[in-house]
Amino acid sequence: MRSDTLPSRKFAVSIKQYILPFMLFTQEFVFLAFPKTGSSFVRTIIKSRGVELRKRHCLLPQFFWPKNVFVEQMVIRKSPAGIHQHGSRSQSEDEMVLKSSWHSTRINLWKRKNKRQIISVWRDPVDRFLSVFKFQFYALWDGEMREEVEKRYPTFPDWSLSDMYEWKSLEQKRRLKILFPNCEGDDLGIGPGSWQFILFFASKQLKDRLIEAWPKSESEVLEMFLIDTAEIHFLNQKGLNEQLESMLKGSAFEKTKSEEDQTARVNVTRQNHLFVSSHDVNEAELNEIRENEQFLYDYAEKRNLHC
């Protein structure tokens, strides 16, 4: 019988370094790329209409910088592929560190100058897990993490959606114990996708509160999280093209008349691109995810995200 807990393990188990620019700052907003939501499409559109901030700009007063200037902040992590790849809200407050110290100083002053609207993309939790399952990025896991997974699921990476979700749940509980020792492994009945969402969008202040005192219930977490993220603007993945253009209208990134219409998403999830899975997804597995990720559906209803 398999255990319902995992042994303690540090997250940095691979010698590989992943340097990923997934926080995009503009004069007006900062875009956070929550994984598997269509965020690559948003970043591609914004960057195609903008001007990357260079050293030559920093030689001039900020008044002379282009209105559509943008900066992508690097997030450096040592971890297995698939872990901590996207810069979170609390990480967006970190200062940039570049080879040229004066360049870093100018950019960090620019970052702190104005309060920016936080933008991201909302996607139905079941659709997200399906996307992760079909993308098969887990097949590239290595090191101690892969050894643990193969020990628990002998056919890995050819596992079922239910297996993958179970593993995500166990990993999330282990992570919570590391980040919040007071929780004692109690996830409050909140699913792994919900905790990933919470930890990604929570402010540093909220995370500090969770460290000081672990909540007593899921409803308490929801109340705190709703207040903490009230000013974050979410685009809906189902109507991403139209909502993105509506958000950018009137800004320095508005689509010009000469620009061709963007009619197709980029970076569409590739299904079974590493191997042919022997597992078909069934309705029971999808219902299990819906039930366990009720926190996110409650959050979406309160925020009117139309999931």
Side-chain angles (χ1 to χ4, degrees):
M1 183 175 180
R2 292 188 301 204
S3 171
D4 59 355
T5 60
L6 294 176
S8 299
R9 170 173 58 77
K10 295 181 179 179
F11 287 98
V13 299
S14 172
I15 61 172
K16 297 180 180 179
Q17 272 199 339
Y18 298 88
I19 305 177
L20 303 137
F22 281 129
M23 291 186 288
L24 194 152
F25 292 83
T26 73
Q27 300 271 30
E28 302 173 17
F29 59 84
V30 52
F31 179 72
L32 300 181
F34 191 54
K36 308 309 295 178
T37 58
S39 57
S40 295
F41 169 72
V42 176
R43 290 172 56 246
T44 298
I45 293 298
I46 295 173
K47 290 169 61 178
S48 70
R49 300 175 186 175
V51 177
E52 187 173 5
L53 185 60
R54 301 287 188 180
K55 282 187 179 181
R56 65 177 182 273
H57 297 121
C58 292
L59 294 171
L60 301 171
Q62 291 183 11
F63 177 80
F64 295 103
W65 290 6
K67 298 295 184 184
N68 59 342
V69 72
F70 70 85
V71 170
E72 285 192 294
Q73 183 160 347
M74 294 290 184
V75 178
I76 303 176
R77 288 291 178 270
K78 294 180 180 179
S79 61
I83 302 294
H84 298 311
Q85 290 191 8
H86 297 235
S88 67
R89 177 186 177 189
S90 58
Q91 289 171 329
S92 70
E93 302 171 6
D94 296 342
E95 293 193 344
M96 294 189 70
V97 180
L98 306 175
K99 291 183 179 180
S100 176
S101 59
W102 70 267
H103 190 198
S104 300
T105 300
R106 290 302 303 275
I107 293 178
N108 289 320
L109 287 173
W110 173 72
K111 279 182 57 180
R112 293 194 298 267
K113 186 176 180 180
N114 299 315
K115 184 178 180 180
R116 292 170 174 81
Q117 170 78 69
I118 299 176
I119 307 294
S120 194
V121 181
W122 163 266
R123 187 177 187 182
D124 181 271
V126 171
D127 291 343
R128 281 196 67 246
F129 275 103
L130 274 175
S131 181
V132 173
F133 180 68
K134 293 177 180 179
F135 190 65
Q136 298 181 342
F137 195 53
Y138 47 79
L140 301 177
W141 290 350
D142 60 4
E144 185 180 348
M145 183 175 187
R146 188 180 185 95
E147 292 176 3
E148 283 187 357
V149 178
E150 289 178 338
K151 184 177 180 179
R152 192 177 186 91
Y153 310 98
T155 63
F156 180 83
D158 187 15
W159 57 359
S160 67
L161 175 62
S162 182
D163 289 339
M164 188 195 77
Y165 187 76
E166 179 187 58
W167 176 258
K168 293 287 186 182
S169 300
L170 295 172
E171 272 286 283
Q172 193 61 69
K173 288 182 180 180
R174 175 161 57 185
R175 187 183 182 198
L176 288 175
K177 289 175 68 175
I178 294 173
L179 296 176
F180 310 105
N182 288 339
C183 80
E184 298 181 348
D186 182 9
D187 62 7
L188 303 173
I190 299 174
S194 298
W195 272 118
Q196 182 188 16
F197 190 87
I198 294 168
L199 297 177
F200 188 88
F201 290 108
S203 66
K204 185 178 183 303
Q205 291 74 17
L206 178 56
K207 290 182 177 179
D208 288 342
R209 286 183 62 187
L210 295 176
I211 291 174
E212 292 173 4
W214 192 244
K216 294 182 173 58
S217 66
E218 177 180 350
S219 59
E220 185 180 349
V221 177
L222 179 60
E223 182 179 356
M224 290 191 297
F225 189 61
L226 282 167
I227 296 172
D228 187 61
T229 59
E231 296 183 0
I232 298 179
H233 178 70
F234 288 98
L235 306 171
N236 195 307
Q237 193 262 354
K238 289 184 178 179
L240 191 52
N241 294 51
E242 296 79 9
Q243 292 193 25
L244 177 60
E245 293 304 337
S246 177
M247 185 199 77
L248 296 177
K249 189 174 183 179
S251 75
F253 297 89
E254 183 176 6
K255 181 169 59 179
T256 63
K257 293 182 179 179
S258 60
E259 184 179 3
E260 294 183 2
D261 289 340
Q262 289 285 342
T263 57
R265 284 266 314 282
V266 299
N267 194 29
V268 177
T269 298
R270 293 166 288 173
Q271 298 187 14
N272 300 327
H273 73 295
L274 294 176
F275 64 92
V276 178
S277 175
S278 63
H279 296 275
D280 294 325
V281 176
N282 59 64
E283 193 61 32
E285 292 175 312
L286 301 181
N287 287 334
E288 176 190 17
I289 296 175
R290 290 191 188 97
E291 181 179 346
N292 291 330
E293 301 300 336
Q294 187 59 46
F295 178 96
L296 279 181
Y297 289 107
D298 291 342
Y299 178 83
E301 182 179 359
K302 297 285 187 180
R303 289 293 311 272
N304 195 29
L305 299 180
H306 305 295
C307 59

